[in-house]
Amino acid sequence: MKNIIKYGLLSLVAAAGVSCESFLNEKVVSGVSYDYLETKTGIETAVNGVYSTMRWYVGGERYYCLTEYGVDYVWEGADGGNKDAFNKYSNQLNSSFGMLYEFWENAYKGITRANTALMFLPKVGDMTEAEKVAREGELRFMRAYFYFDLVQHFGRIPLLSEGNVSQIITDFPRASVADLYAFIISDLRYSFDALPDVAMQADRGRATKWAAANLLSKVYLTRGSAVKDQRGQKPTDMDSTAYFAEAVINSGKFALEPDYSLTIDQDRQKVSSETIWGVEFTNDVLFNGSDGNKMHLYWVPTYEKLPGMQRDLQQGRAWKRVKPTPYLQTELFDHLNDSRMYKMFSWVFYANKESSIPVWQDKYYYVDENGKTTDDLLYETPAELVGKPKFALGDTAVYFIPKYYGAKDYKGTVIDKAKNRQMQLDIAKARYTFIAVR
């Protein structure tokens, strides 16, 4: 056995030596140099490469963590590893937190790609000047987009305005916030003048004049609304905000949908008259990155755990990362005159698992704050219903209602026993799983 091991090790060492020597002597017979970016095909590929970095935001669980958690209309759901940092502002929210690093890395990747493409764009010989101006407008729009996102999250950051493919730089001083905003506005003003005056380009997802105007309005508003921060704000910022916002509105290219539900209909996202610009994905999964577009899945409750339910494609995959707050469900909207809240969520889930459809019990008792069933009778079921299924396949199995009983706080602690009893009574009498705002 010892000899076998010895000879085996010698064989491995010999093989490693041969492989190493072969690798070191390998000749590169193909490859792409930076000269490729001096061609139309190369520069088009570079521009598309910048667009692709934008999928990082909306492809996975990033944007809702960075922009939705920690506000008054959504809460963390039951799952997900980012809720403590972003929703609770715990000590995990620091410079070493993975998502913040990825955010920084991805944004500067997009900026570097844009700068590199802008560096080689003037050298392209087989493009017209009009084509070059259009691509420069797109590149500067995206560069401004990344910088605007970065400066809002981090404040003073390095400002890289030129491409570099020959030097190794290790020192990146932070620019002032005022300089960053000035740079962002300069890029977007160029894009506004350079990009086509259309609602949507023939190549879907490319930036337009109105995408630049819309972002410009937001940038001016953000800079000009500073109270104590020094963002380089000017007295004309609010006028500029209104000017570019009204330019989009009065362009005749966009309009509010007649029905609010159409704005969140997945089948109409590419044709909605309200869409000014959107990050595009493709049916070819090889070009969508590792995540694809799955943002919509993080808002779905775990309905498959409820009686009469199992996961299906129509009702969505439940990743339970985010849920609406009682404030959103009970106070934010006028329930009598404003239908947006009712159209915003799926309130009903339909039975699709016959084996778990519940039957009527003969009696239902109050469950106290410790989860113990008491002898306090809530509801006695009519005799003719006892033992029969509460619903059938295709019927309503789960019904969420925007009713706040005031029975429990956000942690689920009972704060009013009488209201909690009334809520349990209504749940016991319902023919389906009845879920209120507590």
Side-chain angles (χ1 to χ4, degrees), residues 47 57 92 159 171 175 196 210-211 232 284 307 358 370 411 417:
V47 173
Y57 293 97
Q92 289 177 305
L159 176 57
D171 183 24
W210 305 113
D284 190 335
N370 298 314
K411 294 181 178 179
K417 183 176 179 179

Side-chain angles (χ1 to χ4, degrees), residues 363-368 372-379 417 421 424:
K363 296 177 181 179
Y364 294 85
Y365 294 90
Y366 177 73
V367 178
D368 66 18
K372 180 181 178 180
T373 301
T374 68
D375 57 2
D376 179 6
L377 181 64
L378 285 173
Y379 177 66
K417 183 176 179 179
R421 190 181 190 283
Q424 290 191 32

Side-chain angles (χ1 to χ4, degrees), residues 123-366:
K123 303 177 184 178
V124 178
D126 54 343
M127 289 180 75
T128 66
E129 286 305 311
E131 288 174 326
K132 291 182 181 181
V133 168
R135 293 297 177 258
E136 182 173 353
E138 293 176 46
L139 290 166
R140 292 178 68 165
F141 168 82
M142 290 185 284
R143 184 170 66 179
Y145 184 100
F146 288 123
Y147 271 126
F148 183 48
D149 222 359
L150 284 168
V151 73
Q152 289 178 92
H153 282 85
F154 298 106
R156 296 176 64 245
I157 55 174
L159 176 57
L160 311 178
S161 60
E162 296 180 353
N164 172 32
V165 297
S166 59
Q167 294 177 298
I168 297 176
I169 302 174
T170 58
D171 183 24
F172 294 93
R174 295 174 183 264
S176 70
V177 172
D179 286 346
L180 288 160
Y181 271 94
F183 185 79
I184 292 165
I185 289 171
S186 175
D187 265 357
L188 290 175
R189 293 295 289 254
Y190 179 93
S191 299
F192 177 74
D193 293 331
L195 292 174
D197 179 7
V198 294
M200 187 181 301
Q201 293 212 47
D203 291 337
R204 285 194 52 86
R206 291 194 183 277
T208 67
K209 179 185 190 74
W210 305 113
N214 180 67
L215 188 54
L216 256 176
S217 179
K218 186 175 181 180
V219 171
Y220 276 120
L221 178 64
T222 306
R223 184 176 77 168
S225 62
V227 177
K228 295 182 180 180
D229 294 346
Q230 296 304 311
R231 302 175 187 166
Q233 52 266 44
K234 300 182 183 302
T236 56
D237 280 350
M238 291 302 132
D239 290 334
S240 297
T241 298
Y243 174 83
F244 285 104
E246 290 173 353
V248 176
I249 295 168
N250 297 330
S251 68
K253 302 292 190 300
F254 313 96
L256 295 178
E257 294 281 5
D259 186 335
Y260 178 75
S261 64
L262 297 178
T263 65
I264 51 178
D265 185 338
Q266 290 189 53
D267 295 328
R268 299 190 78 259
Q269 291 300 294
K270 295 183 180 295
V271 297
S272 174
S273 60
E274 291 194 23
T275 301
I276 299 172
W277 177 74
V279 176
E280 289 287 318
F281 286 78
T282 172
N283 291 329
D284 190 335
V285 295
L286 292 176
F287 295 99
N288 280 332
S290 60
D291 291 319
N293 186 0
K294 56 188 180 185
M295 179 65 75
H296 58 287
L297 300 174
Y298 297 111
W299 304 77
V300 181
T302 49
Y303 62 88
E304 72 268 24
K305 294 184 177 181
L306 298 172
M309 297 300 306
Q310 62 185 347
R311 182 188 296 173
D312 61 21
L313 289 175
Q314 182 179 1
Q315 299 181 98
R317 181 177 179 179
W319 280 357
K320 58 181 187 293
R321 299 292 201 272
V322 184
K323 63 182 180 182
T325 62
Y327 168 73
L328 184 148
Q329 295 182 71
T330 62
E331 297 182 49
L332 184 59
F333 299 97
D334 179 346
H335 289 190
L336 182 62
N337 301 303
D338 191 337
S339 65
R340 286 178 296 172
M341 184 190 65
Y342 301 110
K343 295 177 178 180
M344 190 181 301
F345 299 101
S346 294
W347 299 95
V348 178
F349 289 83
Y350 299 98
N352 61 5
K353 186 178 181 181
E354 190 170 21
S355 62
S356 65
I357 292 176
V359 298
W360 287 101
Q361 300 176 29
D362 58 344
K363 296 177 181 179
Y364 294 85
Y365 294 90
Y366 177 73

